Amino acid sequence: MTLKKIVHMAQMTAADMREVAQRNPVILLPLGSFEDQGPHMPMGDYLLADAIAERIALAAMQEGCETYVAPVLPFGGADYFGYMPGGIALSQTTLRAVIEDMLGNLIRHGFTKLIILNGHGGNCTMIHDVTQSILKKNHIIIPSFYLWRVAAAYLPAVVGEEKAKQSGGHGANPLTSIALYLKPDLVKTENLKQQALDKKAWGLPVLDFGTVELNGVPISIPLEGDQTATQGIGRGNPYLCDGKTGEALTDHLVKIGVKLIKHLLEQ
């Protein structure tokens, strides 16, 4: 029987970690959120970010690139989901401090080959601010990529332009398809619901989270997601999501992740 290689730092012993630290391997830092992902989806999309990070690390190891996964940050930066009972989000100020501390602790002990795998749109601004600050102070470039944005960009190549347009959005593709592939037991398809296409907020047609339309122009308004979405579903029809699509998107994310690791090591 072939034992699965341990790549999660949380599963390693202190002795293992001291030995690994001497080699300054690549460390992946997955970030996610704990919010409304739609009535059919588990609230913790961080589970998917962590699962993809593990797959990237294992694939990189197979290609000779020593890579480990730091403990996932399950709480994302607050944006549109404060309405959700049980949801937990960090203020942007707190998120910045947490990311600074997480990266700072790794850098302190000589880990300089760091990559952020982001699974939440509300994290993007603080990731940029913190990594830019580290670049200025420590002269270390910490790349990151927003997993679901990359997957969404690849979606038309998997399902075609029209289906991608119809199914793409919060609570639908790409996240629902990826969940149906990676965590199918946590997706309750009997709860599937489509967005109310005629929904209005502030007296105007809804385009997306926090965005309405006025004379064909998108206008941002500071409303939470329950006023501009339908139970966590924004644009996109989740009925068009499936595990086969999720498998193709996951494979693409893993390949991109390994390419990024190789490029980081070349630098």
Side-chain angles (χ1 to χ4, degrees), residues 37-41 171-173 176-177 180 187-195 230-231 233 236-242:
Q37 307 289 350
H40 56 290
M41 284 280 287
N173 263 329
T176 292
S177 286
L180 284 167
V187 182
K188 295 186 176 181
T189 54
E190 66 271 20
N191 291 347
L192 280 171
K193 186 179 184 68
Q194 193 170 355
Q195 180 196 34
T230 304
Q231 293 187 32
I233 300 174
N237 183 353
Y239 286 97
L240 299 177
C241 300
D242 60 85

Side-chain angles (χ1 to χ4, degrees), residues 4 24 38 59 72 101 103 112 136 141 168 171 176 215 225 246 250 266:
K4 188 175 183 180
N24 187 20
V72 63
D101 285 350
L103 294 173
T112 59
K136 293 177 180 178
I141 291 179
T176 292
N215 292 344
T250 298
E266 290 171 358

Side-chain angles (χ1 to χ4, degrees), residues 129-149:
D129 287 355
V130 173
T131 55
Q132 188 176 58
S133 176
I134 289 173
L135 173 61
K136 293 177 180 178
K137 180 181 178 181
N138 303 96
H139 308 291
I140 298 171
I141 291 179
I142 301 176
S144 68
F145 70 97
Y146 183 8
L147 294 167
W148 318 141
R149 182 181 292 165

